[in-house]
Amino acid sequence: MKSIAMIALSALLAGVAVPASAQFAKPEDAIKYRKNSLFVMSQHFGRLGAMAQGRIPFDAKAAADNAALVETLSHLPWAAFGEGTDKGDTKANPEIWKEAPKFKEAMDKFQAEAVKLAAAAKTGKLDDLKTAFGNTAATCKGCHDTFRAK
Ligand code: ASC
């Protein structure tokens, strides 16, 4: 059996782009993947929210670790919104595919804030975390308001 590396190498040699993102055998897999990656992200983001809102004590190390994970995870879900993944066990709105550039803009905004969030969490200052958390949460909400069914 060919290893993943061999397959990637063969694809490269054949001039085929090798995306860093996951590939999905069927639409249900893509839907599961994006929901699960968003869920994991929400767990780490939620811990930052609890600190930012004073529900748990501020822990600079935990904040930096969680924010770094949010940034890493922020890259995952979007490749799983491909064509044909609009139907099934999903709250994704048809606007995602009808207004693809707007959706892309929203995800880019979120990713940019996630980068800032990770940087802010590294300063060890709660006020920096609060600001960056608020800005990032606004991009989550902005996208949900338009692109996620209630
Ligand atoms: C979270 C979470 C979201 C966002 C969003 C911000 O903690 O799981 O989806 O924040 O609620 O408005």
Side-chain angles (χ1 to χ4, degrees):
M1 200 179 89
K2 273 189 179 182
S3 70
I4 299 285
M6 276 300 293
I7 292 168
L9 185 63
S10 318
L12 269 180
L13 292 175
V16 177
V18 181
S21 50
Q23 297 293 284
F24 307 103
K26 44 189 198 294
E28 301 89 89
D29 288 352
I31 291 171
K32 223 189 275 180
Y33 179 94
R34 71 198 185 207
K35 286 166 78 171
N36 290 345
S37 56
L38 284 161
F39 174 75
V40 174
M41 207 186 330
S42 80
Q43 298 302 291
H44 295 289
F45 193 61
R47 282 170 214 172
L48 296 170
M51 285 188 224
Q53 291 155 10
R55 283 181 278 118
I56 59 171
F58 177 54
D59 174 333
K61 167 88 168 65
D65 289 349
N66 280 293
L69 283 167
V70 170
E71 187 195 344
T72 299
L73 293 164
S74 77
H75 297 279
L76 299 186
W78 323 114
F81 286 91
E83 291 297 328
T85 65
D86 55 330
K87 301 266 179 336
D89 185 14
T90 178
K91 285 198 242 171
N93 272 339
E95 278 70 26
I96 290 172
W97 295 274
K98 277 191 222 141
E99 302 186 50
K102 217 171 129 201
F103 182 63
K104 166 97 171 62
E105 195 184 308
M107 76 175 79
D108 286 349
K109 239 187 235 174
F110 164 66
Q111 283 174 349
E113 292 304 331
V115 171
K116 290 189 214 164
L117 176 67
K122 271 204 260 184
T123 67
K125 294 186 203 139
L126 179 56
D127 279 347
D128 289 351
L129 176 66
K130 282 184 185 173
T131 304
F133 176 82
N135 292 340
T136 310
T139 66
C140 302
K141 184 175 185 307
C143 200
H144 292 162
D145 286 351
T146 313
F147 296 109
R148 185 175 70 172
K150 297 290 172 296

